[in-house]
Amino acid sequence: MRKFVSWNVNGLRACLKKGFMDSFLALNADVFCLQETKMQQGQAELDLPGYKQYWFSAEKKGYSGTAAFSKYEPLNVTYGIGLPEYDVEGRAITLEYVDFYLVNVYVPNSRQELARIDYRVAWEDSLRAYLGKLAAQKPVLVCGDMNVAHNEIDLKNPASNHKSAGFSDIEREKFTELLASGFVDSFRSLYPDLAGQYSWWSYLRKARERNAGWRIDYFLVSQNWRLKIEQAAIHSDIFGSDHCPVSLQLAGNWRDMKV
């Protein structure tokens, strides 16, 4: 069994003060991926015995950023998707293992009134092309904050959000295109009709207390690994960010060396 966790921490330095290490240890992932770290490596003490650390920070201080911590030594690590206009924001890390790629992504937010939708759509197309090249070589596991609730079941109030960032028609269509290119939404593959399952809640109007949330954090797996999905979970009982962690367990053994 292989266990993966993904969490948008909305600023790791802040999350460290809100119990991050307790949650990290309790989840006990083989690979733990973060989004929106909002820091450069070394700006906070992070002692993780048994894990190799990989950081990709945005050039802009205190903004965006991804990180991945792995118990197993990757064959190769790639930062970004090969396009400078996106890679300056530190939005993707790829870990290559013997039999698969793991891609940790933080998809750009389209912002209020979809002010950044053109950048977002270009990113979506470029990411899909990048993942397609990887998938031509071996199976791909994609995780992270995808910044889209795919279907109406994936947010509390769909009727009032059809023109909102994260639920606009174009963003949902792009996510559909990504799945159609050869990926499976692991959570929905196990729980196609389970409602009220969210991974992000606004800090406003006690949204989390009311469970008025959105499911925008995902694990996607290549179609040919669909039957390896053993468990997909949303850990809404874990606090420290406006997002909660999500996890995936896949059948199979690690075939590379531990750190």
Side-chain angles (χ1 to χ4, degrees), residues 209-243:
E209 291 180 30
R210 297 184 292 109
N211 197 30
W214 300 47
R215 188 176 74 93
I216 61 175
D217 300 89
Y218 296 83
F219 274 98
L220 312 180
V221 301
S222 288
Q223 282 277 2
N224 55 352
W225 267 29
R226 183 177 198 140
L227 295 181
K228 289 183 178 288
I229 301 171
E230 292 189 338
Q231 185 182 81
I234 299 174
H235 301 272
S236 56
D237 58 330
I238 294 180
F239 292 77
S241 168
D242 51 350
H243 295 248

Side-chain angles (χ1 to χ4, degrees), residues 4-226:
F4 306 87
V5 170
S6 174
W7 193 5
N8 179 320
V9 290
N10 192 14
L12 181 55
R13 286 171 290 179
C15 195
L16 283 165
K17 299 175 183 177
K18 301 175 184 177
F20 172 83
M21 284 307 306
D22 290 338
S23 299
F24 179 88
L25 295 171
L27 288 165
N28 190 29
D30 294 318
V31 187
F32 203 117
C33 294
L34 304 182
Q35 304 88 42
E36 204 170 3
T37 55
K38 294 183 177 179
M39 60 174 279
Q40 311 294 314
Q41 186 176 9
Q43 284 190 299
E45 286 190 26
L46 201 62
D47 185 22
L48 305 174
Y51 288 86
K52 187 75 172 178
Q53 301 186 27
Y54 305 96
W55 295 79
F56 190 35
S57 301
E59 289 185 3
K60 180 181 177 181
K61 298 288 180 66
Y63 176 72
S64 189
T66 47
F69 312 131
S70 179
K71 289 182 179 178
Y72 296 87
E73 189 82 43
L75 300 177
N76 187 48
V77 180
T78 303
Y79 299 93
I81 59 175
L83 296 169
E85 60 267 36
Y86 307 123
D87 295 344
V88 295
E89 296 192 353
R91 292 188 178 273
I93 300 176
T94 302
L95 307 183
E96 180 185 1
Y97 296 98
V98 171
D99 57 337
F100 72 103
Y101 290 99
L102 170 61
V103 186
N104 173 27
V105 300
Y106 177 34
V107 174
N109 189 299
S110 297
R111 297 182 180 169
Q112 284 191 329
E113 298 183 357
L114 304 180
R116 213 185 189 201
I117 191 65
D118 291 343
Y119 183 92
R120 164 69 177 266
V121 167
W123 156 270
E124 297 271 10
D125 292 339
S126 299
L127 176 65
R128 191 172 64 256
Y130 173 75
L131 295 175
K133 291 177 182 177
L134 296 182
Q137 302 172 56
K138 61 179 83 173
V140 178
L141 170 59
V142 186
C143 72
D145 177 0
M146 310 295 284
N147 257 318
V148 62
H150 187 210
N151 293 309
E152 291 195 351
I153 194 174
D154 295 314
L155 72 166
K156 179 70 172 181
N157 297 305
S160 59
N161 280 294
H162 278 280
K163 295 183 179 180
S164 299
F167 197 61
S168 66
D169 290 345
I170 184 63
E171 290 166 307
R172 295 169 66 199
E173 288 168 7
K174 287 298 174 183
F175 194 77
T176 297
E177 285 182 36
L178 177 58
L179 295 179
S181 72
F183 290 95
V184 175
D185 175 350
S186 61
F187 185 82
R188 282 290 168 229
S189 74
L190 296 182
Y191 310 109
D193 303 313
L194 185 58
Q197 303 298 303
Y198 309 126
S199 63
W200 174 81
W201 303 261
S202 169
Y203 282 132
L204 303 175
R205 297 181 292 279
K206 298 183 178 181
R208 192 157 186 173
E209 291 180 30
R210 297 184 292 109
N211 197 30
W214 300 47
R215 188 176 74 93
I216 61 175
D217 300 89
Y218 296 83
F219 274 98
L220 312 180
V221 301
S222 288
Q223 282 277 2
N224 55 352
W225 267 29
R226 183 177 198 140

